[in-house]
Amino acid sequence: MPSRSLAITGVVLIGFVHLITGLLPDPPLSNPTNLVMLVANLYVFFCACLVLRDESNPGVGLFVAGYMVLFLLVLVLLERESLFILLIILYASVYRIKVLLGVFAIFIFSFVLAQPYAVETFIPLASAVLAVWKIRKNSASGFTVFCLAIGLFGLMIIAIPLIHLCIQDSPRTLQFVLMRPEVQQAIWLSLFSSALSTGLVALWGIPLAYALARSEFRGKGLIESLIDVPILVPQSVVGIALLAILGPGAPLGNVLDELGLSPAGNFAGIVLAQTFVSCPFLIKSAQNAFESVPTHFEDVSRTLGAGAAKTFFLVTTPLASRGILTGVILAWARSISEFGTLILFASHPQTAPILVHNEFLKAGISESRPIAVLLLLACLWIFIILQFGKTLLPGASRSKTAKPRLIR
């Protein structure tokens, strides 16, 4: 702790500076503001004494440098006396706690320098600082921390537009838009069709993933490549391909149209298109999940008298359920976000992405933005629920050694 004489000298010096400021012919601060700032500066000086006691001189130098930055930025450039008083009190209070000092620096950057995008930048940047601090506290290597920081910076760039979108409209505006019948119909149609298409993919995709994970045969590589094709092909190409074989004028399309089963331009077409584009995500995730289950668990089940099908449903699938649910989430998200294929192959009835596009063409971003926010919020809530569901699955254990359920 600084000597008593040094502390007294600092207090006298601060008081003298504020006294001179108040006696100037044209004082920059009013007397009440000058008095409040005097008290704030005395508190800052007390915190500086604590820093001098706990840290070396460079720590005090950085403390003073931070104070001067706030002084020049807020008081000189912005001329915001009350804001400066509040910030220097916060700064002095959190300086000795590194994680809070980092969050404070992000706050200054966001709400002082990054206007009018303060909230959009503060939320992801503060989250990144907390994550880096947490992993650093767990004694992670410097390289790991660097990799995390680089990755979080990329995620921040992705998150900023979404956060900005969500805070543009008031809850009252969103409620008013949600009351429109066409908006409700489009959102419910998107939710239902994506759930149905994901279920259809699961019916044949999970058995296919298990077969690929547990067998080797000629042509397996070709099948795995074909599964990846919907990811590689542009959405517009998929829409044209479906129209070419199932649309009006195509031989198969004409037959289906005569039977009243044509999928083009109706609900069946929506589900078909969503199934086409989403199947790789579920199949690949399920295949990786099945491959992560040790085969000796299945061998034990078989030796205890369980058949192959019973072992699949009661041993392998529960142990792989976490990866399978990840694939379900990815497939569902891909289905509900599909636009390019639907706009060509099945634009009616309108799903939410189609409605957002049509509203944008008719009235611009002001009319389409609330619908986009409502769809985003609905997707986020369902995504959170599905993620929480992982913890309830038999295969969701984080333990390193999984224990199979033996069949007697």
Side-chain angles (χ1 to χ4, degrees), residues 167-178:
I167 64 176
Q168 292 301 296
D169 296 293
S170 65
R172 186 175 182 85
T173 300
L174 296 179
Q175 182 182 7
F176 176 78
V177 174
L178 184 59

Side-chain angles (χ1 to χ4, degrees), residues 204-205 208-232 279-281 283-291:
W204 60 271
L208 175 60
Y210 176 77
L212 293 175
R214 288 292 186 262
S215 61
E216 294 292 337
F217 54 91
R218 183 178 298 178
K220 178 182 176 180
L222 177 61
I223 294 176
E224 292 178 334
S225 299
L226 289 175
I227 294 173
D228 292 331
V229 167
I231 300 178
L232 304 176
C279 64
F281 298 92
I283 296 173
K284 288 296 183 180
S285 296
Q287 182 180 350
N288 292 334
F290 286 129
E291 290 174 347

